Amino acid sequence: MIFLTLEKLLKLNKVFIILIALTTLFSCARRGNPTGGPKDITPPKLLRATPDTLSTNVPVDLKEIRLTFDELVQLRDYTKNVLISPPVEPSPTFSPIGTPSREVKVKFNEHLKKNTTYTINFGKSIVDNNESNPFSYFTYVFSTGPRIDSLQLVGAVQDLTSKKPEQGLIAALYEIDSAYTDSLVFKEKPYYIAKLDSTQTYHFKYLKPGKFRLVAFNDKIPNSKIDLKQEKMAFADTIIDTRKISTAPMLYLFEPPQDFRYLDAKQNGYGRIDFYVTGKPKDLKVIPTDERFSETLTIHKPYSDTLQFYFNPKKVELERRTRLRFLLAHDGVSDSIPTILYDNSAKAGLKITERKLNYVPGKNYILDADYPIDTINKDSISVKIDTMKLAFDVERVNEKRFKLKFPIKFEKNYKIELLPGAFTDWTGNKNDSTSFSFSTQKERDYGNLKLTIQNKPTHKFWLKLYDANDKEIESIYSDNSVFEFKYLLPQKYYFKLMVDENENRRYDSGNIFLLRQPEKVYVYSQEIDVKPFWDINETWVLP
């Protein structure tokens, strides 16, 4: 039998109390640690709306809408996500911004329209405060009249010019009334607006009876208006009557034509000034106002936005830094443009470069000059295969591009040598001595591709071959059904076909003012894997 003294019992009690305290503290600490439980993926829930959604006879002097949720929420990127139809000007004020709240408020700064159904689509702007789970695509609807408009319109948009669907597209309806003009789509916000989903389709709801112009555009500048400088658009060439149809015709995106406008001009070397405009004019001229410029040369490709102007500084006495004045002539009208600073210390010189291509049998070798060429001295040009000289011809493509035509064979090394004076430009400058070289591989290192087109267009078209990096490899203007591309480098390719419906040898985009749809474009987006020493036969069935 063991007998414990009072002193020992007290000591044992103290130890026991300390152990209990430590155990309790440890247990509390463990309960406070993260348990790694499931992540919150539940979006916030709407508890009530004031006024209630789908309310009618809402007063036109409505000051505020309140949406109450079951947890703290925030508004994220609401300027990009929230769509209001019809538009309210000035725009309402939204909250909470920055600070989470259980309420989302919409405050109106002006009276609403009478007898009008309003929709506020919040997109993905309402998110919970903890995990940013969105309360997706909630649409709040109310009417200042006795009923909610209930008509609908569905449709889709296609971008035929690209392999990938265009992102950020919206569809828009503009009311046809006494104030409507086609230019309204560029100046005002639409009466109804809807975002496209991942399948490139849209769905208008709560529409009123009436006639509308239907358009679509990629709202890169988020102002619900079409910006001609940056945004693609599409339109239906028939008026949409919501009382008669609920499915819209397919819309095809295009880059809208811009009005003619002078942009800028800058010196680009010795005796050269480049002028930049918009509108792709067919004809464009620049006229120097200084009488000393008696000999000039201009290069402007029809329907392009750049003009190159050349003069010979050797024949014009200019100060080191001189401001030059020009008139810009377009469509029979000449206007002065801002003065252009020219630095007369720029050094004269002529540079010849080779065009980097896959040179194989059947191709011509191409040289580019940085100035318009006046004369060519063929005796100062030599083409060698290994060490043996080859006979060749020179063919002018344009003012600054030339073909050297000679037979190209497999497994050979080629060298092109230009002696000084082989090319003389428009100002009298000659090229320096330079040389280029390239080699061809074995025939088995290349692949061949044959394309057969079924249901080919009734008009001529451009067939364009691109590599996987969207670099144009070849462009053919034709009305054939079968095309052969021989000796391609092993990689992936795809095709684009652009129909020249009016056969004016240029692609015409759409124009809403003329109610002209863009000329048809088809993309064979399935990549074709060309492998060494393979012959690939591909069939493209057009719609």
Side-chain angles (χ1 to χ4, degrees):
M1 182 177 294
I2 300 174
F3 293 96
L4 298 176
T5 65
L6 180 61
E7 182 180 356
K8 289 183 178 180
L9 286 172
L10 292 173
K11 289 181 178 179
L12 288 173
N13 284 338
K14 288 181 180 179
V15 172
F16 182 69
I17 292 170
I18 292 172
L19 288 175
I20 292 176
L22 289 173
T23 302
T24 303
L25 180 63
F26 179 71
S27 300
C28 291
R30 289 185 59 189
R31 283 198 297 270
N33 287 339
T35 61
K39 181 180 178 180
D40 178 18
I41 59 173
T42 305
K45 295 180 180 179
L46 180 65
L47 299 180
R48 61 182 175 274
T50 308
D52 198 4
T53 186
L54 298 178
S55 292
T56 57
N57 294 313
V58 173
V60 294
D61 60 350
L62 176 68
K63 299 298 183 183
E64 184 178 82
I65 295 171
R66 292 190 179 190
L67 307 174
T68 305
F69 291 87
D70 65 338
E71 59 179 310
L72 295 175
V73 297
Q74 293 190 48
L75 282 176
R76 182 177 60 187
D77 295 333
Y78 77 94
T79 57
K80 297 180 180 179
N81 280 280
V82 178
L83 301 177
I84 303 178
S85 297
V88 177
E89 297 292 349
S91 298
T93 303
F94 290 81
S95 64
I97 305 299
T99 303
S101 172
R102 289 180 179 270
E103 285 189 335
V104 171
K105 298 179 182 180
V106 183
K107 295 183 178 181
F108 295 98
N109 302 307
E110 189 56 72
H111 285 189
L112 303 172
K113 297 178 181 179
K114 296 180 180 180
N115 298 317
T116 301
T117 298
Y118 285 90
T119 63
I120 305 177
N121 189 325
F122 286 87
K124 294 184 177 182
S125 63
I126 302 175
V127 298
D128 66 35
N129 188 50
N130 293 325
E131 299 292 343
S132 295
N133 296 308
F135 184 54
S136 294
Y137 301 108
F138 168 63
T139 300
Y140 177 85
V141 184
F142 67 95
S143 175
T144 56
R147 66 178 183 274
I148 299 289
D149 293 323
S150 58
L151 298 177
Q152 301 186 40
L153 181 71
V154 297
V157 181
Q158 286 189 16
D159 185 359
L160 298 179
T161 63
S162 175
K163 290 190 301 180
K164 300 177 181 179
E166 188 73 30
Q167 300 299 314
L169 290 174
I170 61 176
L173 289 170
Y174 295 83
E175 187 176 17
I176 305 294
D177 55 17
S178 58
Y180 175 83
T181 63
D182 285 332
S183 62
L184 189 73
V185 302
F186 302 106
K187 299 177 181 179
E188 302 291 339
K189 291 183 178 181
Y191 195 90
Y192 293 112
I193 192 167
K195 285 193 174 184
L196 274 71
D197 61 21
S198 59
T199 64
Q200 301 298 87
T201 59
Y202 56 87
H203 189 176
F204 288 102
K205 299 179 181 179
Y206 308 108
L207 301 180
K208 70 177 183 178
K211 295 182 179 181
F212 298 87
R213 170 68 72 195
L214 170 64
V215 305
F217 55 97
N218 55 344
D219 199 22
K220 289 185 177 181
I221 300 176
N223 58 3
S224 300
K225 297 179 184 178
I226 302 173
D227 190 298
L228 285 172
K229 299 177 183 178
Q230 301 184 41
E231 298 175 352
K232 293 182 179 180
M233 69 168 295
F235 68 93
D237 43 18
T238 57
I239 299 300
I240 302 298
D241 190 336
T242 57
R243 293 163 294 194
K244 296 181 179 180
I245 67 170
S246 58
T247 301
M250 179 65 72
L251 303 182
Y252 299 101
L253 282 177
F254 61 89
E255 293 184 359
Q258 298 186 38
D259 293 333
F260 175 81
R261 182 166 58 94
Y262 170 75
L263 289 179
D264 194 12
K266 64 180 180 179
Q267 180 180 351
N268 192 5
Y270 176 81
R272 173 178 171 176
I273 300 174
D274 289 349
F275 294 80
Y276 306 97
V277 300
T278 62
K280 299 187 182 301
K282 179 180 180 180
D283 298 305
L284 184 65
K285 295 179 181 179
V286 292
I287 306 165
T289 60
D290 194 323
E291 295 181 354
R292 292 176 295 176
F293 291 90
S294 57
E295 296 182 15
T296 62
L297 174 66
T298 59
I299 298 176
H300 173 250
K301 183 179 179 181
Y303 306 106
S304 68
D305 286 340
T306 303
L307 180 145
Q308 300 171 12
F309 174 85
Y310 296 91
F311 68 95
N312 191 346
K314 300 173 185 176
K315 298 183 178 181
V316 182
E317 292 184 4
L318 296 176
E319 297 177 359
R320 185 183 181 279
R321 293 173 68 84
T322 305
R323 291 195 173 275
L324 305 179
R325 297 182 180 275
F326 294 88
L327 296 176
L328 189 67
H330 162 67
D331 201 19
V333 178
S334 297
D335 290 316
S336 60
I337 58 177
T339 58
I340 300 161
L341 182 63
Y342 179 80
D343 186 350
N344 201 30
S345 65
K347 295 182 179 180
L350 173 61
K351 186 177 181 180
I352 306 296
T353 58
E354 65 171 342
R355 193 177 183 198
K356 299 291 185 180
L357 295 173
N358 175 36
Y359 291 113
V360 291
K363 299 292 185 181
N364 293 315
Y365 187 77
I366 296 178
L367 292 174
D368 287 320
D370 60 346
Y371 278 80
I373 297 301
D374 186 35
T375 60
I376 304 171
N377 183 2
K378 187 179 175 182
D379 294 336
S380 295
I381 304 174
S382 67
V383 178
K384 295 180 180 179
I385 179 171
D386 295 327
T387 58
M388 182 180 64
K389 282 192 173 183
L390 286 179
F392 67 92
D393 290 321
V394 181
E395 179 181 317
R396 183 186 289 265
V397 179
N398 55 40
E399 293 91 342
K400 299 195 296 182
R401 177 167 290 177
F402 304 86
K403 291 180 180 178
L404 297 187
K405 306 177 74 172
F406 54 87
I408 297 177
K409 300 179 180 180
F410 294 112
E411 300 182 67
K412 297 295 181 181
N413 299 310
Y414 293 86
K415 187 173 183 179
I416 293 88
E417 294 181 321
L418 306 180
L419 297 177
F423 293 89
T424 303
D425 71 17
W426 180 79
T427 65
N429 295 313
K430 301 179 184 299
N431 66 282
D432 293 329
S433 179
T434 186
S435 64
F436 310 100
S437 60
F438 69 92
S439 300
T440 55
Q441 304 175 33
K442 299 176 182 179
E443 183 176 2
R444 65 182 301 109
D445 292 332
Y446 302 95
N448 299 320
L449 172 58
K450 181 180 179 181
L451 177 70
T452 301
I453 299 177
Q454 293 185 7
N455 300 335
K456 72 168 186 174
T458 56
H459 301 282
K460 286 191 173 183
F461 53 87
W462 292 271
L463 180 67
K464 295 178 178 288
L465 177 68
Y466 294 86
D467 66 15
N469 296 318
D470 300 324
K471 178 184 177 182
E472 184 179 306
I473 303 299
E474 193 162 348
S475 178
I476 302 172
Y477 185 74
S478 174
D479 58 358
N480 294 333
S481 298
V482 180
F483 299 86
E484 291 192 64
F485 301 87
K486 299 181 70 67
Y487 313 128
L488 296 174
L489 292 173
Q491 58 180 317
K492 293 182 179 181
Y493 298 88
Y494 72 95
F495 288 103
K496 181 185 292 185
L497 190 149
M498 306 170 68
V499 185
D500 188 11
E501 294 177 350
N502 56 11
E503 298 195 2
N504 62 354
R505 299 189 72 90
R506 68 184 184 92
Y507 178 77
D508 294 303
S509 185
N511 190 316
I512 191 172
F513 299 109
L514 302 177
L515 294 182
R516 184 188 70 202
Q517 293 290 346
E519 292 183 313
K520 291 184 177 62
V521 178
Y522 303 95
V523 177
Y524 193 68
S525 57
Q526 178 182 343
E527 291 185 337
I528 305 166
D529 192 4
V530 174
K531 299 181 178 180
F533 211 50
W534 277 34
D535 291 328
I536 298 179
N537 294 309
E538 200 78 12
T539 299
W540 188 1
V541 182
L542 294 178

